[in-house]
Amino acid sequence: MSDVVRKICMLGDFGVGKTSLVARYVSNTFSDKYLTTVGVKTDTKLVELPQRRVKLVLWDIAGKDVLDGLKLTYLRGSTGLVMVADGTRAPTLHSAAQLLRQARGEIGEVAAVLLVNKFDLFDRWEVAPSQLAELRRTMPLFETSALSGESVEEAFTALAERLP
Amino acid sequence: MSALPDAVQRYLRREQIAPLAAAALSFDGDWRLLGRSGELTRFALDQAADADLERQFRELCMGQSRLGGTRLSQLDLGEGHNADVHLVAEQSQVHVVLLDVHEAVEQERSWQQNAQEAKLRSYEQGRQLRDLRQQRISIEAERDAAKAQASELSARNQLFDQRLRGVLAEIERSAERLLALPAEHGGRQRETELLRQAISQADRCRLSLARAVARISGQVDDTISQVALDQLSAELYASVAVLLEAPERSLSLRLQQRSPEPLRMVAGAAAEIFHYALWASLLRCRGELEAVLRWDGQFAQLQCNSDSDDLSLTESALLWDQQLPAVDDPPLTYALFGLGRSAHRHHGRVLEQRDSDGRHRLLISLPGRREEPSGDITSPGFRGPVGLICGDAEYAEEWVAQLATRGIPLSLHSADPESLQALYENPPPALLFDLQSAAGAPAMAYKLRARGYPGMLLALGELGHPMTNSMAATWSAMLPRDCSLRQLLRTLSGRSGA
């Protein structure tokens, strides 16, 4: 079984839960205190797939709705993108779509998944289901909860399976 | 602390980088560590094993150019260390230069944290404001509806009260006359018959009142049935019999069956609406009221020609809208208002005209209802199958049995990921969610819809929290948990929303 290392960038507006998703995925922890990310933080996680093992180097990039020149440098070498939106704030879905366009413009058509996070706060969701049905046609989409862990593992595995 | 390599020092001078605590790790072309220098303890690099540093920085610099000029700003190295990372090339080596920016990062973090928390708070406040506005709109709509219903109920009560009083007075008079007559008197039979009629009239008043109350409380009986014109005519005569006892008033009601098609309507609608029309016309008529009851295949019509124009329909509506007391002639006002409201509810039209002789004409048209394709005009066309997401076995069994009577198969599911997947792969045309017993039902419904499920998602029960736009876009309809089979089938067949 071969091992490969792949760089993955987490992109999304501020406060959507990128850091919490990484914490849930990598160390199975969650903190309900919001602590903003400045710059970038990296973490790694080994994914066992049937054919190979993939070591994901996760770049948790500070939340923005647009990436400036410095942040674009972070993307170099990425083979996958985890786009994150917050289901309780509909505009963050638009930000995720915009960031994906910007990132692909910089590094090409790399694999991507979309995580619509905070499904534990489902009764406050603002995103219409039809909007997600539409987006699901273009890329794998998961309703996730960093708090409960719902669909987090599945989402990262789905991305790992799509990596070169 | 060892001195930084010359190439790194030259680079820092050339780039005019402010004097910051710095460390450098020098690697060969294969990312083998050649040396460490600078303030290593600042970045906890002094104790780390070579192999760990080689792996860590190889992964960190993946995809970055080794030719120099690469900058990665504000990298969180863990354990409270933050660095700007610069790659400086020197022949076959690359120096990874780390500049301590911890203080600047902490300052920025503090500023950014405050700014973002303020934005989140502002967004949340905006959402709460929107929710409040929405709630206010809903409450106002409910209040208006309740007000209108209360007013209508009040008007109907007054009208029925008038009628009932008249009828009861007649009963009393008849009873007194009856008691005054000797047992063998020939008129006793007639008086007994009058009394029987008056009692029957009172009973109809009671039924009308009960029907009106049921409508106000939302229990509308919308069963469509076939109406015979002659039977309708007899009902109408009977319903205004009390008014016809006045010596100056009489009614001639002609029938015109212009179409062989049977007249089908919501049960009681024509009798009620035409009763109001006749009642109002008789109240303002000082002689004979000529009326025509006709069915032309599309509309059932009642035309009333009278010689008086004491109070028009428009005026009564005006009085009603302005909530003015009907001081002049309350029964007439309420009858006209009842006519307008009832006709409107059944998609009818009421016209007031004046003919060339100056006589007043009231024309009420009610659309007939067509026969359903199934032959049974009350049974909806939905044939299933249906899925039920429910955690209450007894409740589920009830629906299985009820739907079986209509030949509709019902499959049972729980609100878990496996069921979601199964339903997603093999979706029935409609799914019912018991909100009371299946806690995850709303989320499951949302996920199905978000996966493009095109069928009907029907909630049975109440959500327990205000419905967001996303939830409103999820459900096709909501029904009370104890809804009837008929209500359910009508909703499933798309004939009435909730």
Side-chain angles (χ1 to χ4, degrees):
Chain A
M1 188 181 280
S2 63
D3 281 9
V4 290
V5 182
R6 295 289 180 258
K7 177 176 171 180
I8 305 298
C9 282
M10 310 276 301
L11 293 176
D13 215 331
F14 75 90
V16 296
K18 296 179 292 299
T19 307
S20 295
L21 284 165
V22 172
R24 171 60 70 192
Y25 181 53
V26 172
S27 54
N28 200 24
T29 56
F30 178 80
S31 165
D32 58 2
K33 188 178 183 323
Y34 173 56
L35 189 65
T36 184
T37 303
V38 177
V40 65
K41 186 176 186 308
T42 62
D43 246 310
T44 59
K45 169 91 174 182
L46 192 66
V47 187
E48 304 254 1
L49 296 176
Q51 303 300 322
R52 61 178 182 170
R53 287 194 304 187
V54 183
K55 184 179 184 181
L56 301 179
V57 182
L58 302 167
W59 283 55
D60 175 15
I61 300 171
K64 291 269 182 182
D65 52 359
V66 179
L67 290 173
D68 56 26
L70 279 177
K71 300 287 190 299
L72 286 170
T73 315
Y74 295 147
L75 300 178
R76 285 183 203 153
S78 301
T79 48
L81 297 171
V82 175
M83 310 307 302
V84 186
D86 174 355
T88 68
R89 284 187 291 149
T92 61
L93 201 62
H94 175 72
S95 300
Q98 187 168 299
L99 286 167
L100 179 63
R101 273 195 301 275
Q102 204 187 355
R104 281 183 164 162
E106 183 71 16
I107 58 173
E109 288 292 312
V110 297
V113 290
L114 174 59
L115 277 61
V116 188
N117 196 32
K118 306 192 185 179
F119 200 64
D120 50 282
L121 299 176
F122 168 69
D123 56 1
R124 286 167 50 192
W125 265 37
E126 295 180 343
V127 182
S130 56
Q131 212 177 342
L132 297 193
E134 193 66 33
L135 282 167
R136 208 182 291 272
R137 291 185 195 152
T138 61
M139 74 175 114
L141 186 151
F142 298 85
E143 296 96 353
T144 58
S145 166
L147 185 144
S148 70
E150 182 174 353
S151 299
V152 175
E153 186 91 26
E154 293 92 312
F156 281 97
T157 305
L159 178 63
E161 284 168 347
R162 285 164 176 76
L163 294 174
Chain B
M1 183 185 82
S2 56
L4 294 168
D6 289 346
V8 173
Q9 291 188 33
R10 280 198 303 277
Y11 170 79
L12 294 176
R13 278 196 299 277
R14 190 175 68 239
E15 296 295 320
Q16 296 182 325
I17 292 170
L20 292 166
L25 299 171
S26 305
F27 296 93
D28 70 5
D30 295 322
W31 286 100
R32 271 194 297 269
L33 187 64
L34 301 174
R36 320 176 189 201
S37 55
E39 298 189 41
L40 296 167
T41 50
R42 285 262 189 170
F43 306 99
L45 296 172
D46 49 337
Q47 301 295 324
D50 284 4
D52 288 343
L53 291 176
E54 287 167 358
R55 179 188 47 74
Q56 185 186 350
F57 283 90
R58 185 175 57 242
E59 288 172 1
L60 194 68
C61 298
M62 196 186 295
Q64 306 292 352
S65 168
R66 288 171 57 96
L67 297 175
T70 296
R71 294 179 182 193
L72 296 169
S73 61
Q74 298 178 325
L75 249 70
D76 186 334
L77 300 172
E79 311 291 328
H81 303 294
N82 302 90
D84 278 355
V85 174
H86 295 231
L87 298 189
V88 179
E90 184 186 16
Q91 296 172 345
S92 61
Q93 287 185 45
V94 62
H95 305 286
V96 178
V97 183
L98 293 94
L99 302 168
D100 186 0
V101 290
H102 181 68
E103 265 186 41
V105 163
E106 285 309 306
Q107 275 180 5
E108 188 171 336
R109 189 193 306 285
S110 167
W111 168 83
Q112 189 172 292
Q113 179 91 19
N114 289 337
Q116 291 180 350
E117 279 180 351
K119 279 185 189 172
L120 289 173
R121 269 198 306 274
S122 159
Y123 190 86
E124 183 58 30
Q125 282 165 357
R127 184 220 312 276
Q128 285 174 354
L129 206 60
R130 284 198 303 276
D131 288 351
L132 279 174
R133 279 194 191 124
Q134 193 57 46
Q135 275 180 21
R136 197 188 70 190
I137 291 168
S138 306
I139 289 169
E140 281 176 358
E142 279 173 27
R143 184 201 60 195
D144 290 348
K147 212 165 146 185
Q149 281 186 348
S151 303
E152 187 177 347
L153 183 59
S154 164
R156 281 167 180 269
N157 278 344
Q158 291 201 42
L159 176 63
F160 288 126
D161 186 49
Q162 293 276 349
R163 287 175 58 187
L164 214 48
R165 276 189 207 183
V167 172
L168 290 174
E170 180 57 28
I171 289 171
E172 203 174 328
R173 279 197 300 275
S174 295
E176 278 171 7
R177 284 198 297 269
L178 198 58
L179 288 170
L181 290 170
E184 67 281 4
H185 192 275
R188 192 177 176 102
Q189 192 180 349
R190 187 179 159 273
E191 287 301 327
T192 308
E193 177 58 24
L194 282 176
L195 184 59
R196 196 190 57 74
Q197 281 178 14
I199 289 170
S200 159
Q201 183 79 14
D203 199 43
R204 271 195 292 275
C205 280
R206 186 184 57 77
L207 285 175
S208 298
L209 186 59
R211 197 186 300 152
V213 169
R215 277 214 171 81
I216 296 297
S217 60
Q219 299 162 4
V220 180
D221 179 8
D222 55 359
T223 309
I224 297 169
S225 54
Q226 195 167 315
V227 180
L229 228 52
D230 51 355
Q231 195 182 331
L232 177 59
S233 159
E235 263 186 66
L236 290 173
Y237 258 116
S239 74
V240 295
V242 174
L243 292 180
L244 295 176
E245 283 174 13
E248 73 274 17
R249 286 194 194 117
S250 65
L251 167 67
S252 79
L253 181 61
R254 283 188 296 125
L255 303 185
Q256 286 183 356
Q257 177 92 33
R258 290 177 170 174
S259 166
E261 290 289 312
L263 165 59
R264 292 177 192 277
M265 299 207 74
V266 170
E272 178 184 314
I273 296 162
F274 292 161
H275 158 75
Y276 279 128
L278 278 182
W279 191 269
S281 298
L282 280 166
L283 282 174
R284 62 183 173 185
C285 177
R286 285 185 283 275
E288 181 178 333
L289 177 71
E290 293 171 0
V292 183
L293 178 61
R294 68 172 75 92
W295 163 239
D296 63 8
Q298 281 192 310
F299 292 94
Q301 289 183 324
L302 180 73
Q303 182 183 315
C304 302
N305 301 323
S306 65
D307 54 3
S308 171
D309 56 356
D310 290 345
L311 184 67
S312 72
L313 191 66
T314 321
E315 285 168 329
S316 78
L318 199 65
L319 280 176
W320 186 263
D321 288 343
Q322 294 175 354
Q323 301 187 343
L324 297 172
V327 285
D328 290 341
D329 195 346
L332 177 58
T333 308
Y334 295 134
L336 284 170
F337 180 73
L339 168 64
R341 290 294 295 262
S342 302
H344 177 74
R345 184 185 296 119
H346 293 280
H347 313 291
R349 290 182 65 198
V350 182
L351 287 175
E352 282 183 302
Q353 296 166 333
R354 191 174 295 279
D355 65 15
S356 51
D357 300 330
R359 283 164 63 88
H360 194 265
R361 177 186 290 166
L362 193 61
L363 180 65
I364 302 100
S365 303
L366 298 174
R369 299 286 286 266
R370 287 187 183 168
E371 193 168 1
E372 297 289 313
S374 63
D376 173 4
I377 57 170
T378 62
S379 77
F382 185 79
R383 292 290 174 263
V386 182
L388 173 63
I389 290 82
C390 178
D392 179 344
E394 207 173 307
Y395 183 68
E397 271 174 31
E398 265 179 44
W399 277 120
V400 171
Q402 284 204 59
L403 286 165
T405 62
R406 298 298 182 102
I408 298 174
L410 181 77
S411 57
L412 300 178
H413 310 270
S414 48
D416 54 35
E418 291 75 30
S419 295
L420 174 70
Q421 188 60 28
L423 288 168
Y424 178 54
E425 284 166 6
N426 190 16
L431 285 167
L432 315 178
F433 292 81
D434 177 22
L435 300 185
Q436 186 175 305
S437 67
M444 188 173 177
Y446 179 90
K447 284 188 172 181
L448 274 167
R449 196 62 95 200
R451 280 157 182 73
Y453 174 75
M456 182 162 273
L457 297 176
L458 214 153
L460 298 170
E462 288 180 13
L463 277 175
H465 52 76
M467 187 148 61
T468 58
N469 288 342
S470 67
M471 283 316 298
T474 299
W475 298 115
S476 312
M478 301 191 86
L479 285 176
R481 193 172 188 257
D482 58 354
C483 70
S484 66
L485 175 64
R486 181 184 167 77
Q487 256 180 310
L488 179 71
L489 292 177
R490 286 183 69 83
T491 307
L492 286 173
S493 60
R495 286 172 46 168
S496 65

